[in-house]
Amino acid sequence: MSWNEPGGDKKDPWSGRNDQNSPPDLDEVVRNLQEKLGALFGGGSNGGGNRTSGSSMRGAGWVAGGALVLWSLSGFYTVDEGTRGVVTRFGAYVGTSQPGLNWHVPAPIEQVQVINVEQQRFIEVGYRSGGGQAMGSVPKEAMMLTKDENIVDVRLAVQYQVKDAKDYAFNVLDPASTLKQVTESVQRGVIGRSDMDFVLTEGRSEIVQEIKSEIQSVMDAYRTGILITSVNLQDAQPPEQVQGAFEDAIKAREDKQRLINEAEAYANDVVPKARGAASRIVQESEGYKEKVIAKANGDVSRFSQLLTEYKKAPGVTKQRMYIETMEQVLGRASNVLVDVKDGGNVMYLPLDKLGVGRTEAAPDSVTNHEPVAPQPTLPTVKESKTDVRINSRERDVRGRYDGK
């Protein structure tokens, strides 16, 4: 009799809610569940053997269905921000999943490789570091030959990140190792085209940019999916065996540059002064030139006016010119002229005092108002030869203006 038929024991095989005092029969619960699953999958309920066989098939179907559901649910996965999921189907690329909740056909049909595309990775060439401190050079990687056949120790650090998850996962077996080999090759090529002084001094930034450009070009040609973010030249120095001599050479070069700077500073101080002095001299020369030209023009104008007056009254003009000339000539002279007639008495005068007084009385006859040294005085005139000198000088002056 069924549990829910009239007159039954009213035992609920599922929850026992009609009989709170006695537990349900476990065998009956399993049997009822098998019957329901068999009915769901089309199994029969008549006959003892058929009922047992159908129950087994229905149980297997339920198990398979549950396993299928669980297998399907295992295909859900989450891609974090800054990462990409590379989906492959039996090893072949299917697609790239973006950050968020995604689903793929569960394994072993499809698999997902999550790649961080924002992580900053780096490699070291020529040295190894540990704990933030350099552990020294790796000579096999660091020693390089320059264009001028010198050996230089170069240490380089390259930072990179993934720009294409598909290329990064499929095209190169070991991207970091490939990048390191490419970096070392490119670095040796760039250093080999440069002189040692250029590498160690002013050429560092240029060399870094050239190395970065060439590395990116090679990695793009290989389709590695790597983006070079920065190249840092950690150190570049000569080998340890010749480092002392090289430091002496650097000091000598620095002293040379210092002396050059001092010489340039001195030149910048002296040259403007010399140019200013030259400009002043030129301006003074221009002023003197203008002065001479103006004076010459004045003399020409005065002579022209004098010539006009001479043509109007030659005698008067000649007499005037004579008197003015004698005034100018005798005004600058320190000699004392005494007119002594024949048979007259000889005059005794303090000629030295008369000469000094005359010299001081005619300051306008001195050029540029400079003091004039006192002239020696003549001895006292004792004979009438003075008249001869006076008459001779007067005849010379008259003859000059008369044209004789």
Side-chain angles (χ1 to χ4, degrees), residues 6 52 63 127 158 176 190 198 246 250 265 312:
T52 303
V63 172
Y127 76 105
V158 179
V190 173
F198 183 75
F246 188 78
I250 291 178
K312 293 179 180 180

Side-chain angles (χ1 to χ4, degrees), residues 241-268:
Q241 294 80 357
V242 297
Q243 194 166 1
F246 188 78
E247 290 179 355
D248 293 338
I250 291 178
K251 292 181 180 178
R253 188 182 298 110
E254 292 176 351
D255 293 339
K256 173 185 175 183
Q257 188 62 38
R258 178 178 56 81
L259 295 176
I260 291 175
N261 294 336
E262 292 178 355
E264 290 179 352
Y266 176 74
N268 293 334

Side-chain angles (χ1 to χ4, degrees), residues 29-52:
V29 171
V30 172
R31 184 170 57 254
N32 291 333
L33 179 60
Q34 290 178 351
E35 290 178 357
K36 290 182 178 294
L37 291 176
L40 181 63
F41 287 96
S45 60
N46 297 323
N50 293 335
R51 178 177 295 181
T52 303

Side-chain angles (χ1 to χ4, degrees), residues 172-306:
V172 181
L173 180 62
D174 189 352
S177 177
T178 302
L179 177 60
K180 186 173 183 179
Q181 294 175 6
V182 170
T183 301
E184 186 176 351
S185 176
V186 170
Q187 182 181 359
R188 292 185 182 278
V190 173
I191 297 298
R193 295 194 298 268
S194 306
D195 295 332
M196 184 175 184
D197 291 340
F198 183 75
V199 174
L200 300 180
T201 54
E202 72 273 9
R204 288 174 174 259
S205 59
E206 183 176 343
I207 288 175
V208 166
Q209 292 298 326
E210 188 174 355
I211 291 176
K212 178 180 178 182
S213 177
E214 292 192 14
I215 292 176
Q216 188 65 64
S217 178
V218 174
M219 300 307 287
D220 290 342
Y222 289 168
R223 297 179 63 186
T224 58
I226 290 177
L227 175 64
I228 306 298
T229 57
S230 66
V231 176
N232 299 319
L233 187 60
Q234 300 292 340
D235 194 9
Q237 59 184 0
E240 185 178 357
Q241 294 80 357
V242 297
Q243 194 166 1
F246 188 78
E247 290 179 355
D248 293 338
I250 291 178
K251 292 181 180 178
R253 188 182 298 110
E254 292 176 351
D255 293 339
K256 173 185 175 183
Q257 188 62 38
R258 178 178 56 81
L259 295 176
I260 291 175
N261 294 336
E262 292 178 355
E264 290 179 352
Y266 176 74
N268 293 334
D269 179 53
V270 173
V271 171
K273 293 181 179 179
R275 289 176 179 173
S279 177
R280 178 177 55 81
I281 293 174
V282 171
Q283 292 177 0
E284 291 178 354
S285 301
E286 294 292 336
Y288 177 75
K289 173 184 175 182
E290 296 296 332
K291 175 183 176 182
V292 172
I293 292 175
K295 186 176 183 302
N297 291 333
D299 293 340
V300 170
S301 177
R302 184 174 58 84
F303 181 79
S304 299
Q305 296 175 3
L306 185 61

Side-chain angles (χ1 to χ4, degrees), residues 330 335-339 351 358 378 381 386 389-390 393:
L330 297 179
N335 297 331
V336 179
L337 303 179
V338 180
D339 187 6
L351 299 179
R358 180 171 295 184
L378 296 175
V381 180
T386 304
R389 290 201 303 270
I390 295 174
R393 178 174 294 181

Side-chain angles (χ1 to χ4, degrees), residues 8 36 47 54 68 80 85 108 122 186 189 235 244 271 286 310 394 397 399:
K36 290 182 178 294
L68 180 61
D80 296 332
F122 73 96
V186 170
D235 194 9
V271 171
E286 294 292 336
Y310 180 80
E394 183 177 354
V397 175

